[in-house]
Amino acid sequence: MQFEDTEIPAVKIVTPKKHGDARGFFSEVYKESDWKNAGLDYTFVQDNHSFSAPVGTLRGLHFQTAPFAQDKLVRVVRGRILDVAVDIRRSSPTFGKHVAVELSAENWRQLLVPIGFAHGFITLEPDTEVLYKVTALYSAPNDRGLAFDDPDLGIAWPVAPGGPLLSEKDKRWPRLHDLADAFA
């Protein structure tokens, strides 16, 4: 397993090895001992799976507050996404900055999004499936978000004319400067 820092060192790109032959392939997409050897100690408690039919489906930017704050390990098993993590830790030197990484079934990369980051993605291919592990269970009272189109974030979403396909909830998230419960 390969671990790479991004522009924000807390966010990591994780690329599992893939062993292929005439039958297909095999890959250990998560192995606790490899993570611990890399200095990463996480306990994942829930796996999530999303399917987005149209290109331009945008999910995010989401996070949960304590005591249900979540680290996420995100990967794509079909299709392709632009995956984004925004630093919402007020005391961080990278507060308000983001990392954007293309994840696909082809490149086999995963993105580790730690607690203190808002996370979202936009689909770049039809019928995209995203799997992600989290370190805390989903909690509706702790579910929060950040406006994907906040100009202060400067995220270059690849959006087609007419804009992205959003949930009603994702249309209403506040901008970063209005975020009352960002992390310290």
Side-chain angles (χ1 to χ4, degrees):
M1 204 162 291
Q2 180 181 344
F3 298 90
E4 300 172 58
D5 286 339
T6 64
E7 300 85 24
I8 301 175
V11 179
K12 309 274 187 218
I13 296 171
V14 181
T15 308
K17 290 182 180 160
K18 216 174 187 184
H19 308 279
D21 62 23
R23 301 169 295 164
F25 72 86
F26 173 82
S27 181
E28 292 177 345
V29 295
Y30 173 78
K31 186 175 179 183
E32 183 182 37
S33 61
D34 286 353
W35 280 62
K36 287 189 176 181
N37 289 339
L40 301 170
D41 191 11
Y42 293 87
T43 302
F44 295 106
V45 298
Q46 180 176 313
D47 282 1
N48 300 319
H49 186 157
S50 76
F51 170 77
S52 301
V55 171
T57 299
L58 196 150
R59 296 177 184 266
L61 297 160
H62 303 143
F63 63 95
Q64 287 192 172
T65 57
F68 292 95
Q70 298 174 322
D71 303 286
K72 296 178 181 179
L73 179 61
V74 184
R75 68 190 186 102
V76 173
V77 294
R78 180 168 55 159
R80 190 167 55 100
I81 64 172
L82 181 69
D83 205 27
V84 175
V86 178
D87 191 346
I88 57 173
R89 304 169 298 170
R90 291 212 184 269
S91 61
S92 170
T94 56
F95 174 74
K97 304 286 186 219
H98 70 277
V99 170
V101 177
E102 186 174 299
L103 303 180
S104 68
E106 186 176 317
N107 72 22
W108 211 238
R109 297 190 298 179
Q110 301 176 82
L111 193 67
L112 174 64
V113 180
I115 289 171
F117 285 76
H119 171 257
F121 63 84
I122 189 166
T123 58
L124 304 174
E125 291 183 6
D127 301 328
T128 293
E129 293 188 61
V130 177
L131 300 176
Y132 57 101
K133 298 176 144 346
V134 294
T135 57
L137 300 176
Y138 174 73
S139 170
N142 298 82
D143 188 19
R144 301 288 189 281
L146 180 61
F148 81 95
D149 59 351
D150 182 341
D152 293 337
L153 300 177
I155 301 171
W157 297 103
V159 178
L165 180 60
L166 296 163
S167 71
E168 287 305 311
K169 183 168 70 170
D170 287 348
K171 292 176 183 177
R172 296 189 302 266
W173 294 125
R175 289 179 56 178
L176 183 62
H177 65 70
D178 295 324
L179 197 60
D181 49 14
F183 295 83

